[in-house]
Amino acid sequence: MNSKLSANHVRITLSSFLAYFVMSSVISPLGIVTQPIAEHYGVSVTTATAMFSYLTTGILGGTFLAMFIYSVLSLRSVTLLAGLILIASMLAAWLVDIFSLLPILLALIGATSGILLSAAIVVLTHAYSERARAPALLVTDSFYSGAGVISGWTSGLLIERGYHWGSTYALAITATVILLIIALVSNYPSGKPDAPSGATGRSRGRWPAGVFVVAAALFVYILSFVFIYSWVPNYAAEAMQSSPEQGGMLVSRFFLGLFVGQVAMFALVFKIDLRWIISATACLAAVASCGLWLATDYAGLVVWMFVLGLLSGGLLKTLITFGTMMVSNPSPRLVSFYIFSSAFGTSLGPAVSAVIVDAWGTRAILIALTAGYAMMAVLVLVAVVFKSRSRSASAVSA
């Protein structure tokens, strides 16, 4: 890509950001719509929540399929096809009132969202140099959290006003339509990753242990992250008698914190060593998560949701960026491995949380969230130690 931003460059960059916006607007209303779905179809809340495992498993399948699909279809064709199927699936979930079809539709929504997310990463990888790539990826987080703010508020408002739960997909449908319009008038990269230049035998060999530690941290972090927007609104309704609109406000406040944290992270990555950033934020986020289950009223819960979002903001992309530093020449396969690890955590989140709630109650899931964040923080610290030792060994050998 040319260093000067062309109109086409701007369009495909915007389409990549919108893919993250779509993913967030699909996922973030989960904790708000589970109760209406349960009431609408006459099932338990845990059954309705577990149903969204089809959505998250679809995301996992989509990210896996995306590793191979570009050898068959062009990036533009993949974007258009996935976008069309996504819109059709969301409209069907909204308008076709058949519970037995819901798992299929949720799986399609998840798979196509995952494919669009992968396509966005491929576009940004080809469109930006290594130096500009990390800030570009952090901007995608801002679109993700921005959609969470809007979607959390609008979803709670729609449910409060008595609209069908499927109406919460209206925001995602609108964003996908805009994405498709951009794709129709733009030229996309081929989507075939280039071989890394100057690859050494070491970079092509087995990955160091630090790679798998970072992947484990990503998995645990995203698994725990899903607990937040899946169950905090339900916990607030059960323990504090909050309304659906107030539940939506909790999700919105969390994503607002994410947005502010991501903006702050964008500035910090230019000034502070990445190892210090991820170590500090991971540990502080684990501590802040305790506030969710220690809060005694709704107002306190709102504050802690914002604080936790603030400290979690940008952690995903900085962890992935740090993970690519574990090898001298990170390959597309390595980046895909990290994305797949994250998606695996997303896919298991609803089912794991439903099991915990069934066994120990809603408050237990918030304690499990703290345990997950603490485990993530430990893994991050271990990965930092691996990286520091590797750097020291390289300095000695030099």
Side-chain angles (χ1 to χ4, degrees):
M1 284 283 181
N2 199 314
S3 58
K4 183 179 180 180
L5 293 182
S6 64
N8 186 73
H9 194 141
V10 172
R11 286 196 300 269
I12 63 175
T13 299
L14 178 58
S15 72
S16 301
F17 295 162
L18 282 173
Y20 278 82
F21 189 97
V22 169
M23 174 68 83
S24 178
S25 57
V26 164
I27 291 179
S28 57
L30 194 156
I32 301 168
V33 301
T34 48
Q35 182 66 44
I37 290 175
E39 293 175 356
H40 185 78
Y41 291 109
V43 298
S44 67
V45 174
T46 51
T47 298
T49 302
M51 183 68 64
F52 280 88
S53 291
Y54 292 98
L55 173 71
T56 51
T57 302
I59 293 172
L60 179 67
T63 57
F64 181 79
L65 179 62
M67 290 191 284
F68 310 99
I69 198 171
Y70 302 118
S71 62
V72 180
L73 298 173
S74 69
L75 186 54
R76 182 171 180 268
S77 298
V78 168
T79 301
L80 290 171
L81 182 60
L84 287 171
I85 295 175
L86 176 58
I87 290 175
S89 300
M90 288 188 290
L91 285 173
W94 185 352
L95 303 175
V96 179
D97 200 19
I98 303 176
F99 186 72
S100 60
L101 289 180
L102 194 56
I104 298 173
L105 295 175
L106 290 174
L108 284 173
I109 291 170
T112 49
S113 297
I115 290 172
L116 286 175
L117 203 67
S118 172
I121 295 172
V122 173
V123 168
L124 294 177
T125 299
H126 283 75
Y128 291 92
S129 65
E130 288 186 6
R131 184 174 182 180
R133 198 171 299 152
L137 288 174
L138 281 170
V139 174
T140 62
D141 281 340
S142 298
F143 272 75
Y144 186 94
S145 56
V149 172
I150 299 170
S151 183
W153 178 75
T154 56
S155 297
L157 187 61
L158 288 169
I159 297 300
E160 183 78 12
R161 299 285 174 84
Y163 287 93
H164 188 277
W165 67 268
S167 64
T168 59
Y169 284 138
L171 182 64
I173 292 170
T174 302
T176 308
V177 169
I178 297 172
L179 193 158
L180 287 177
I181 292 172
I182 292 174
L184 283 171
V185 299
S186 302
N187 296 316
Y188 281 74
S190 66
K192 295 179 174 60
D194 299 325
S197 59
T200 63
R202 178 178 175 83
S203 68
R204 289 193 301 265
R206 297 173 61 183
W207 291 333
V211 166
F212 300 98
V213 175
V214 172
L218 286 166
F219 166 75
V220 175
Y221 168 63
I222 295 299
L223 178 72
S224 305
F225 188 90
V226 172
F227 294 172
I228 301 172
Y229 56 75
S230 297
W231 285 101
V232 170
N234 287 306
Y235 171 74
E238 178 183 297
M240 302 167 185
Q241 292 74 51
S242 65
S243 67
E245 187 172 359
Q246 287 177 315
M249 180 59 69
L250 284 170
V251 175
S252 179
R253 193 58 57 91
F254 174 70
F255 279 93
L256 177 60
L258 279 177
F259 179 79
V260 176
Q262 286 152 7
V263 172
M265 188 72 78
F266 182 85
L268 290 174
V269 293
F270 293 106
K271 300 178 180 180
I272 302 176
D273 190 305
L274 198 60
R275 292 174 298 172
W276 289 106
I277 293 176
I278 61 174
S279 298
T281 53
C283 292
L284 289 172
V287 174
S289 68
C290 297
L292 299 184
W293 49 275
L294 291 175
T296 57
D297 55 24
Y298 175 80
L301 196 58
V302 170
V303 171
W304 283 112
M305 283 289 275
F306 177 81
V307 172
L308 184 57
L310 182 69
L311 292 170
S312 300
L315 196 53
L316 174 63
K317 291 305 189 307
T318 50
L319 268 177
I320 292 176
T321 302
F322 179 73
T324 62
M325 295 164 58
M326 290 291 177
V327 297
S328 56
N329 283 296
S331 65
R333 178 169 165 262
L334 177 66
V335 177
S336 298
F337 175 61
Y338 288 138
I339 296 168
F340 183 78
S341 299
S342 304
F344 192 39
T346 302
S347 70
L348 290 183
V352 170
S353 65
V355 170
I356 293 173
V357 171
D358 269 341
W360 295 290
T362 309
R363 189 169 184 265
I365 198 65
L366 304 186
I367 299 174
L369 161 66
T370 295
Y373 262 63
M375 186 183 301
M376 177 268 297
V378 170
L379 289 168
V380 167
L381 294 175
V382 171
V384 168
V385 170
F386 273 125
K387 178 59 181 173
S388 298
R389 287 181 177 177
S390 174
R391 179 176 293 185
S392 298
S394 298
V396 171
S397 63

